[in-house]
Structure formats: structure tokens, C-alpha cells
Amino acid sequence: MGDMTPSERLAANAATEGGFDRDTTYVEDRITADAPPGGPTGERVGQMVWPVEPGRYRLVAARACPWAHRAVIVRRLLGLEEIISLGLAHPLHGEPSWNFDLDEGGVDPVLGIHRLREAYEARIPDYPRGITVPALVDVPTGQLVTNDFPQITLDLSTEWREHHRDGAPELYPEALRPEIDEISRWIYTEVNNGVYRAGFAADQEHYDEAYDRLWAALDRLEEHLATRRYLVGEQITEADVRLYPTLVRFDPVYHGHFKCNRSTLREMPVLSAYLRDLFQTPGFGDSTDFEQIKQHYYGVHHEVNPTGVVPQGPDMGWLLEPHGREALGGTPFGRGSAPGPVPAGERVPAEHTPLPVG
């Protein structure tokens, strides 16, 4: 491996996709600080820019979804709760859409819609692809702005900077962006999407390949994080935010439901300590709803779990045990500070988390 950076070493030997193909076509509009007021401006859907305006947009997420979980974490770490409102979809959904059955009357109180599909089709009639979260919706028009989840979190860090809270961390520092981007691509291919390749493998050959590839990646992470507290640099960055949702879902979902069962994550000394460290950091554990996570995976993936039975376990209280990662140096927020308390209307129910809620 020679003089490769840590992220280059991790990215080495990344194989091509096989067995499970994810649709990665999104509405790629962006909300940018230099966009003209009013907006959007541009030539066509997917290439338009919308202006940064506090209160104009609603982030629609689902606590069950790992891709949406990233956006919820970043919004909280940066203190954007009063700037971009949050709508939470029900963990169970049918083919048509994510819906708002968690809200009174099954209607989002800000957007006034029952299904997220309504926002998609307000923008693109007869929208032909899957309805995904996270999604940013323009409140005045009720139209989807973007569902490009990798770009959403980067733009929250860079384009909304004027509205970050005092002490907000630098999740995407300019000097580290090449390394963050490289390791993030590898994490997506090998870990975030790797568990899905195993879980939705159509035959034994593809499953075996996906299983081996995933565990090779987790073993590399175990080695990488043995001597450093975070993936890149000396504080939490976008890379850690992208890895966390997969790791925290591993034992309750991916280990059994997706047959990623060489061991539990709890049995891996480095990754389990790294996960405990992040879980105990404000913004991470306090946005994690284990009950909704299990309801979604076990209740929606009928091809994997035909009965729809949701397991009662496992006990995730181990995430509150000491992690000892402080000895490796670094601090969670660098020169910044922790976010304040979770807004009352956004708290995870006490019975859905081992964390004390208050």
C-alpha cells in the first residue's frame, strides 16, 4: 500500500457492483447561497438552483431510512432546526409512497399532504421513479426540490453556512474534502450499499460474493479505526455521518434480516467502540429510533421477511457502555460545540431508544 493515505488504502480493491443494482437517478436541483432570490432558476428539472431562504423548505425524512438519517443528523449538528423544518414519514409504506400516518389525520401539518408522492408529482407529473427520502420540499408551492441525498448533506454544510448555529462543527472542511469524498464513495459502495447487496441477493452465488465483500470492508474499517478516533482528521466529518446509519442498524437489522451474520457488530472490538462513541454524541444516538428501524425493514421487505414479524430484540443498551475512544485523541466537534437539546417535537420516544429522553 506504500504511501497511500488512509482513505486511499480503504478505497483500494473496491470491486464493481454485482447482484443488486440501486437506482441512483435523482432530482439533482440544489439550494445554493448564490442563487437569485425567488427562484428556482435553470433550464430544466435536475439542473435548477433554488435560493437559501430560512423557513422556505421542509426536510422530509424517515427515522427508519439510513439515507434520510444522515440529513437529520447534519441538520441537528449544524443547528438548522429553526431554519429548515422537519417532516417525518411513517416507517411502513406501500408501493405508492412514504406517507405521513404519524401525524394527526395522516397529513403533514406543514405541507398538507398525506403522501410524499404528492410533492414529487406537484413538481414532475406522473413521476416515474421511486419516492425516496430524504427529500427537500418547497413549502410555498408544495413541490419537490431535490431528493439527491448525497448532495443534500454537503449543501447543508456549505451553502447554509450563514444560518449555522454558533459553534457548529466543520463537517466538510475544505482541506479534507478530497479525502472525505474518496472514503465516502468507498463507504457507500462497500458498506452502505454492501448490506443491501447481501440482503437482496437473488441467488447463492451473488449472496456469497456480497457477504465476503462486505466483511472484507468491515475488517478494513476495524483496522483503519484502531489507531484513529474518526475516519478522517481529528473530529467528526461527513464521512462519519455517512457510515454511522449503517453501523447502528447492523445488529438490529442487517445481521439477521440481511444475513450479514459472520458476527454482530458488538463482537468487533474497534467498530463497536467507534459506534458507541458516535451513539453517545449528541445528534447521533438521540436521532436513532430502533423501533421504527425494525418496523420498516421487517415490515416492508416482504421478499426477505414474508411473515412481516418484527423481532423484539436485540437489546441495544450496550451502546451506552464506555468506549474509551478519547485515548486516541481528537474531539467530536473540533473547535465547535455540541448542539443543544433536541426540540420537543422531534424527540425519539423513550421506549424506542436506550438513551434517557428529556
Side-chain angles (χ1 to χ4, degrees), residues 4-59:
M4 289 184 178
T5 66
S7 60
E8 286 171 337
R9 287 196 295 270
L10 276 174
N13 301 324
T16 57
E17 297 292 331
F20 169 74
D21 293 318
R22 181 180 298 280
D23 184 356
T24 55
T25 303
Y26 304 105
V27 176
E28 296 178 341
D29 285 16
R30 293 180 59 195
I31 300 169
T32 64
D34 59 359
T41 57
E43 297 180 359
R44 63 185 179 88
V45 170
Q47 295 183 335
M48 294 185 180
V49 291
W50 303 63
V52 166
E53 290 183 17
R56 175 169 177 174
Y57 306 102
R58 187 159 177 80
L59 173 65

Side-chain angles (χ1 to χ4, degrees), residues 130-259:
I131 307 300
T132 61
V133 289
L136 281 166
V137 178
D138 181 45
V139 174
T141 63
Q143 295 183 2
L144 172 74
V145 175
T146 180
N147 62 344
D148 185 1
F149 71 91
Q151 190 64 47
I152 285 173
T153 51
L154 297 182
D155 284 346
L156 290 179
S157 283
T158 57
E159 302 296 330
W160 290 83
R161 187 180 298 274
E162 180 184 351
H163 303 286
H164 291 179
R165 65 177 176 88
D166 291 339
E170 282 274 0
L171 298 177
Y172 195 48
E174 193 163 357
L176 296 177
R177 287 179 191 177
E179 193 172 354
I180 292 171
D181 291 346
E182 183 177 32
I183 200 170
S184 294
R185 285 191 294 270
W186 182 85
I187 287 168
Y188 171 78
T189 302
E190 302 306 304
V191 182
N192 300 149
N193 211 35
V195 292
Y196 284 86
R197 269 199 308 273
F200 290 109
D203 55 47
Q204 190 70 45
E205 180 181 359
H206 281 123
Y207 166 74
D208 290 344
E209 178 187 347
Y211 178 97
D212 291 342
R213 184 172 163 186
L214 171 66
W215 281 104
L218 292 175
D219 286 340
R220 292 175 75 86
L221 284 169
E222 182 87 350
E223 179 183 358
H224 178 78
L225 288 164
T227 57
R228 51 175 59 224
R229 188 171 180 183
Y230 304 110
L231 286 168
V232 179
E234 298 297 315
Q235 68 172 74
I236 290 166
T237 67
E238 174 79 15
D240 300 289
V241 173
R242 294 189 178 199
L243 179 58
Y244 172 82
T246 298
L247 296 188
V248 84
R249 285 161 175 74
F250 197 90
D251 285 11
V253 174
Y254 303 139
H255 175 268
H257 184 58
F258 278 178
K259 307 180 187 70

Side-chain angles (χ1 to χ4, degrees), residues 240-290:
D240 300 289
V241 173
R242 294 189 178 199
L243 179 58
Y244 172 82
T246 298
L247 296 188
V248 84
R249 285 161 175 74
F250 197 90
D251 285 11
V253 174
Y254 303 139
H255 175 268
H257 184 58
F258 278 178
K259 307 180 187 70
C260 303
N261 59 357
R262 191 190 75 180
S263 70
T264 62
L265 204 69
R266 184 180 184 179
E267 296 170 304
M268 301 184 73
V270 173
L271 279 177
S272 64
Y274 169 77
L275 180 56
R276 291 197 302 276
D277 191 2
L278 290 182
F279 185 83
Q280 294 169 32
T281 300
F284 290 83
D286 57 26
S287 63
T288 303
D289 188 319
F290 288 112

Side-chain angles (χ1 to χ4, degrees), residues 99-109 112-116 118:
N99 62 60
F100 296 101
D101 283 347
L102 294 174
D103 294 305
E104 185 176 356
V107 174
D108 180 273
I113 58 177
H114 174 56
R115 290 188 170 92
L116 182 56
E118 296 174 56

